[in-house]
Amino acid sequence: MSTPEAIADRPAEQLAALLKAAADPLRLEVLRVLSRDSYGVLELVSIFDLKQSSMSHHLKVLASAGLVATRREGNSIFYRRALASHDPLLGDAQRRLFHSVDSLPLAGQLQARLDEIQSEREAASRKFFTENASKFREQADLIASFPIYQEQVAEALLAAPLAGQALALELGPGEGEFLPHLAERFDTVFALDNSPAMLETSRQLVQSQGLNNVELILGDTKRLADLDLSAQCIVVNMVLHHTPSPAQIFSDLANSLANGGVLLVTDLCRHDQAWAQDACGDLWLGFEPQDLSQWSEAAGLEEGQSLYFALRNGFQIQIREFIKPALT
């Protein structure tokens, strides 16, 4: 029996493995579910109402075919769709398969179970920040305090090819430390946070500094659809690794960007410090750069400049610029 490594050296066998993996309706549904998010084995077991052994078998077949990739989050392994192969034939086959899978309707029962998992993740995130709002700075400083990356984000904002300065949005402002930068640059600034405790901390800073053009809003990115924003700039500083679905965040924010608008994302690169999940409420142990690239592309955004820098404690930060194409 050929190993996945051996198959990878023989394109014909790899293509056969891909076709075999795609020949099962359930595996196609798994690929459909993984189109916008990554899930752990137990989450997939719940979504598809299967035994863990059966789900593990299907995931092994998909992984052997190069259709899914894994990442470890503490003691759990999460699955996501793999990036397309660099081989022209195999890469084209993967992209065509993913495109066809994404055109399939998602069964109502699957969507309901996905919504349940999303709600569970959101509840865990809100619970942590509600219970630890008073210790937010102390816990954030364990990894990367705001002053460490403040200057670089401010420089990225200054260098961004903004189409205007009417409106900016910051998602998850934390203690509000970056809001003065935005308030100085833009006519109106919205700050969106799903934690009442954290939003109150931002409110205190806004009031103390007299930032009269800043409006604080309670809610998550699903709230943006009701606000009907068209922002020239959206800033997301150290938020993605706390969110249940980073891919959905990209999609929601892209819809709230003006044409030619800029999304600035600052977050951790992939790491293996599992203690951060308990100490800092992290849902994800950072991200590979290609993760953000993939989510931004799916949301219809183009990549701009990127900046990476390492910290003395071993963590690495990535500052990424994504641009919504202007209408031609």
Side-chain angles (χ1 to χ4, degrees):
M1 179 178 179
S2 298
T3 65
E5 292 78 9
I7 291 175
D9 293 333
R10 296 194 292 273
E13 289 195 27
Q14 193 172 5
L15 181 59
L18 185 151
L19 295 174
K20 174 185 176 182
D24 184 280
L26 187 140
R27 290 198 283 269
L28 293 180
E29 287 190 319
V30 170
L31 291 175
R32 175 71 174 85
V33 164
L34 294 177
S35 65
R36 299 300 301 276
D37 207 343
S38 59
Y39 293 95
V41 175
L42 294 182
E43 289 179 327
L44 291 170
V45 165
S46 175
I47 292 168
F48 289 95
D49 194 22
L50 285 179
K51 293 182 178 179
Q52 185 172 346
S53 58
S54 297
M55 178 55 66
S56 296
H57 166 73
H58 287 295
L59 292 171
K60 182 178 180 180
V61 172
L62 290 169
S64 297
L67 294 174
V68 300
T70 62
R71 60 182 298 174
R72 180 173 291 276
E73 299 290 342
N75 295 323
S76 301
I77 295 178
F78 281 72
Y79 287 81
R80 62 171 175 82
R81 287 221 305 227
L83 297 174
S85 170
H86 293 296
D87 181 274
L89 175 62
L90 296 172
D92 183 62
Q94 286 175 310
R95 283 187 287 269
R96 288 176 181 272
L97 174 61
F98 289 157
H99 179 75
S100 297
V101 165
D102 292 344
S103 67
L104 297 173
L106 194 62
Q109 60 182 6
L110 291 181
Q111 185 61 61
R113 291 168 184 160
L114 290 173
D115 291 342
E116 289 178 5
I117 289 175
Q118 178 83 356
S119 296
E120 291 171 0
R121 291 179 177 181
E122 291 174 353
S125 178
R126 284 195 301 270
K127 182 176 184 292
F128 178 86
F129 284 105
T130 297
E131 295 176 349
N132 296 276
S134 62
K135 299 181 290 184
F136 178 79
R137 180 186 291 275
E138 176 184 347
Q139 289 161 330
D141 287 354
L142 292 173
I143 297 178
S145 61
F146 177 72
I148 289 178
Y149 59 86
Q150 174 184 7
E151 182 178 349
Q152 288 85 352
V153 178
E155 289 178 358
L157 176 63
L158 187 62
L162 300 174
Q165 297 180 322
L167 176 63
L169 165 71
E170 182 172 10
L171 175 65
E175 295 188 335
E177 294 164 299
F178 198 69
L179 291 176
H181 292 277
L182 296 174
E184 181 180 7
R185 186 93 185 266
F186 294 88
D187 298 335
T188 303
V189 177
F190 287 98
L192 180 70
D193 203 302
N194 67 353
S195 168
M198 294 308 302
L199 206 61
E200 178 57 32
T201 304
S202 292
R203 189 184 309 281
Q204 293 174 13
L205 181 140
V206 167
Q207 291 176 347
S208 67
Q209 297 200 17
L211 305 180
N212 298 322
N213 60 336
V214 176
E215 181 177 344
L216 303 174
I217 302 172
L218 178 64
D220 55 26
T221 55
K222 293 190 286 291
R223 177 85 189 276
L224 294 175
D226 299 328
L227 298 175
D228 193 27
L229 300 182
S230 185
Q232 280 77 41
C233 182
I234 298 178
V235 175
V236 186
N237 286 330
M238 293 296 180
V239 171
L240 279 185
H241 60 269
H242 293 298
T243 62
S245 177
Q248 187 61 50
I249 296 294
F250 269 87
S251 178
D252 292 342
L253 295 181
N255 290 333
S256 294
L257 267 180
N259 294 320
V262 174
L263 170 63
L264 291 177
V265 177
T266 302
D267 217 294
L268 298 170
C269 292
R270 185 76 177 88
H271 64 86
D272 59 1
Q273 302 299 312
W275 59 265
Q277 292 180 309
D278 293 328
C280 306
D282 295 7
L283 293 179
W284 310 105
L285 300 181
F287 304 100
E288 298 289 354
Q290 58 262 37
D291 290 334
L292 273 63
S293 299
Q294 188 176 32
W295 296 328
S296 67
E297 181 181 3
L301 304 178
E302 298 175 350
E303 287 196 56
Q305 299 187 81
S306 299
L307 172 65
Y308 301 87
F309 59 97
L311 307 181
R312 285 183 295 178
N313 60 10
F315 290 95
Q316 185 177 22
I317 290 177
Q318 53 182 311
I319 299 177
R320 310 287 299 279
E321 178 186 87
F322 304 99
I323 303 169
K324 187 170 184 176
L327 294 177
T328 57

